[in-house]
């Protein structure tokens, strides 16, 4: 019998795989994400995902906005008037470049702060936003500075233990791989779109565009966790491209332990808001195949705080529908029997 909710530690076996490997997944440590978008580029390059406009949103440095059929990785930029916490990254006092470059930068700063009245110009220092050896706002008095931080997070399909997109697919286009991930088979998808509203995260969508230019138009698309690379013993393209190892790939059970240790490290160093998301195998989706270390509430990152697989109540709905059908049938039989009398 198909299981629609609850913990399922053998999700690949439940899908019919004999002796599958350990379940694979992602751990995204947002505390070390620098927003470089290397993961987005690597994902598009390897999987042949087309661009989605390159349109700046006007509200942040983000130009993709959300996950979709042509954005399988999305790096969010969230600006907050809040300090990071007491974490010491260990780079205080380190030079910004080579000693020669550092000396030149310091000389340039000294020239900018000097008296230039003899040159016929105002001696007031004006910040041009150019790189320097000083921290932003360091030259300002303490009372004029405000707390500020960027939250950056590379979002991706969660590859849920109980995936509603898979449950509602009428063609079998969506399937569970031996690695526990959920993948769309492009050649089988008929574009019905049932999977789109079924996803509690709004991850999957049908691709739009000109069929003569863009591939898989009208077909449901999302992250495959680079299924072809996993089969060849390689890690996903996004994880390999990440320069800070914010995106980590591996066995899901080991990633949970690594993520918990990282949270404890951050909290011990003063980042008390650090928390994990998607790691609980007893949550509304049976646990995610993509874990996230967050520095604020999930809603801040656009994530549902308590996701529930949308097909969870299907067995109960079917039971009630069957009871209703039997009741109607009994009523019809009784009605005809009464007429014969």
């Amino acid at each position: 019998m198909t299981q629609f909710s609850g913990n399922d530690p053998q999700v690949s076996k439940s899908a019919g795989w004999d002796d599958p490997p350990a379940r694979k997944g992602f751990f995204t440590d947002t505390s070390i994400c620098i927003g470089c978008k290397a993961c987005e580029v690597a994902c598009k390059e390897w999987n042949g995902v087309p661009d989605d406009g390159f349109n700046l949103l006007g509200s942040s440095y983000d130009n993709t906005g959300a996950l979709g059929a042509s954005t399988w990785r999305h790096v969010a930029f969230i600006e907050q008037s809040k300090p990071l916490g007491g974490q010491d990254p260990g780079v205080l006092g380190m030079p910004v470049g080579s000693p020669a470059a550092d000396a030149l930068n310091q000389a340039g700063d000294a020239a900018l702060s000097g008296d230039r009245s003899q040159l016929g110009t105002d001696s007031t220092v004006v910040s041009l936003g150019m790189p320097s050896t000083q921290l932003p706002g360091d030259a300002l008095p303490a009372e004029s500075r405000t707390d500020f931080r960027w939250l950056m997070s590379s979002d991706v399909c969660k590859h849920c233990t109980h995936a509603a997109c898979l449950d509602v697919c009428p063609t079998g286009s969506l399937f569970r791989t031996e690695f526990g991930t959920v993948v769309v088979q492009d050649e089988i998808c008929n574009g019905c779109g049932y999977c789109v509203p079924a996803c509690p995260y709004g991850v999957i969508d049908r691709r739009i565009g000109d069929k003569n230019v863009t591939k898989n138009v009208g077909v449901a698309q999302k992250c495959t966790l680079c299924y072809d690379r996993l089969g060849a013993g390689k890690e996903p393209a996004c994880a390999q491209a990440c320069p800070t190892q914010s995106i980590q790939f591996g066995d899901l059970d080991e990633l949970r332990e690594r993520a918990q240790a990282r949270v404890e490290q951050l909290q011990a160093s003063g980042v008390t808001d650090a928390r994990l998301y998607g790691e609980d195998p007893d949550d509304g989706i049976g646990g995610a195949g993509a874990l996230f270390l967050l520095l604020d509430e999930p809603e801040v990152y656009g994530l549902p705080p308590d996701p529930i697989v949308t097909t969870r109540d299907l067995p109960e709905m079917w039971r009630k529908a069957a009871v209703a059908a039997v009741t109607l049938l009994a009523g019809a039989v009784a009605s005809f029997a009464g007429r014969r009398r």
Side-chain angles (χ1 to χ4, degrees), residues 132-178:
S132 72
T133 58
Q134 289 183 321
L135 294 174
D138 195 42
L140 299 174
E143 61 272 11
S144 67
R145 293 198 296 268
T146 58
D147 292 329
F148 172 84
R149 70 174 178 178
W150 280 104
L151 296 181
M152 298 174 184
S153 173
S154 181
D155 197 9
V156 72
C157 172
K158 313 308 179 289
H159 294 277
C160 308
T161 298
H162 299 292
C165 59
L166 188 156
D167 294 336
V168 302
C169 180
T171 66
S173 168
L174 282 141
F175 76 104
R176 179 81 60 180
T177 74
E178 66 270 35

Side-chain angles (χ1 to χ4, degrees), residues 13 52 69 74 77 106-107 150 199 237 254 261 274 316 319 336:
K13 279 191 175 182
D52 42 13
H74 166 238
F77 288 72
Q106 291 180 6
W150 280 104
C199 177
E254 191 275 331
E316 180 63 17
R319 188 189 68 80
F336 280 110

Side-chain angles (χ1 to χ4, degrees), residues 235-312:
E235 65 178 343
C238 58
Q240 184 169 339
C242 181
T244 65
Q245 293 189 331
S246 170
I247 301 172
Q248 302 174 35
F249 164 77
D251 294 349
L252 194 58
D253 289 340
E254 191 275 331
L255 288 177
R256 285 197 184 99
E257 296 178 1
R258 190 187 307 175
Q260 187 59 51
R262 175 61 175 159
V263 168
E264 293 172 0
Q265 178 189 20
L266 286 173
Q267 291 181 343
S269 62
V271 187
T272 56
D273 288 339
R275 70 201 70 193
L276 290 180
Y277 182 83
E279 88 293 352
D280 184 5
D282 295 314
D283 64 10
I285 60 170
L291 319 177
F292 297 84
L293 187 155
L294 306 180
L295 299 179
D296 209 325
E297 299 289 343
E299 300 93 318
V300 173
Y301 296 84
L303 297 169
D306 187 21
I308 296 175
V309 59
T310 52
T311 53
R312 179 191 63 178

Side-chain angles (χ1 to χ4, degrees), residues 13-323:
K13 279 191 175 182
S14 300
W17 293 95
D18 295 327
D19 193 25
R23 184 178 179 183
K24 306 298 183 182
F26 285 125
F27 164 46
T28 301
D29 184 350
T30 69
S31 70
I32 54 176
C33 177
I34 59 174
C36 67
K37 289 183 176 282
C39 55
E40 286 193 17
V41 175
C43 175
K44 287 180 178 292
E45 287 287 339
W46 179 263
N47 295 290
V49 179
D51 72 83
D52 42 13
F54 300 109
N55 299 316
L56 290 174
L57 304 179
S59 57
S60 78
Y61 291 106
D62 182 13
N63 69 318
T64 47
L67 294 172
S70 295
T71 302
W72 295 2
R73 269 279 180 187
H74 166 238
V75 179
F77 288 72
I78 304 162
E79 182 179 331
Q80 284 189 327
S81 57
K82 185 176 181 180
L84 175 61
Q87 183 184 15
D88 180 8
V91 297
L92 186 63
M94 294 180 65
V96 297
S98 65
D102 195 31
L104 289 173
N105 287 335
Q106 291 180 6
D109 289 344
L112 285 175
S113 60
D115 184 1
R116 291 168 288 158
S117 58
Q118 294 180 356
L119 301 176
T121 59
D122 187 357
S123 61
T124 303
V125 177
V126 178
S127 174
L128 300 178
M130 302 298 288
S132 72
T133 58
Q134 289 183 321
L135 294 174
D138 195 42
L140 299 174
E143 61 272 11
S144 67
R145 293 198 296 268
T146 58
D147 292 329
F148 172 84
R149 70 174 178 178
W150 280 104
L151 296 181
M152 298 174 184
S153 173
S154 181
D155 197 9
V156 72
C157 172
K158 313 308 179 289
H159 294 277
C160 308
T161 298
H162 299 292
C165 59
L166 188 156
D167 294 336
V168 302
C169 180
T171 66
S173 168
L174 282 141
F175 76 104
R176 179 81 60 180
T177 74
E178 66 270 35
F179 303 106
T181 59
V182 179
V183 173
V184 180
Q185 299 174 91
D186 302 335
E187 64 278 7
I188 300 178
C189 177
N190 65 359
C192 67
Y194 291 169
C195 56
V196 177
C199 177
Y201 296 99
V203 166
I204 194 167
D205 202 357
R206 289 180 296 182
R207 182 168 292 164
I208 59 175
D210 184 350
K211 291 185 177 182
N212 297 320
V213 178
T214 305
K215 71 174 185 178
N216 294 332
V217 171
V219 174
Q221 300 280 271
K222 73 172 191 67
C223 163
T224 66
L225 216 145
C226 285
Y227 183 43
D228 53 346
R229 292 176 65 90
L230 299 192
K234 299 180 180 180
E235 65 178 343
C238 58
Q240 184 169 339
C242 181
T244 65
Q245 293 189 331
S246 170
I247 301 172
Q248 302 174 35
F249 164 77
D251 294 349
L252 194 58
D253 289 340
E254 191 275 331
L255 288 177
R256 285 197 184 99
E257 296 178 1
R258 190 187 307 175
Q260 187 59 51
R262 175 61 175 159
V263 168
E264 293 172 0
Q265 178 189 20
L266 286 173
Q267 291 181 343
S269 62
V271 187
T272 56
D273 288 339
R275 70 201 70 193
L276 290 180
Y277 182 83
E279 88 293 352
D280 184 5
D282 295 314
D283 64 10
I285 60 170
L291 319 177
F292 297 84
L293 187 155
L294 306 180
L295 299 179
D296 209 325
E297 299 289 343
E299 300 93 318
V300 173
Y301 296 84
L303 297 169
D306 187 21
I308 296 175
V309 59
T310 52
T311 53
R312 179 191 63 178
D313 298 324
L314 278 180
E316 180 63 17
M317 293 166 63
W318 289 336
R319 188 189 68 80
K320 291 182 177 180
V323 171

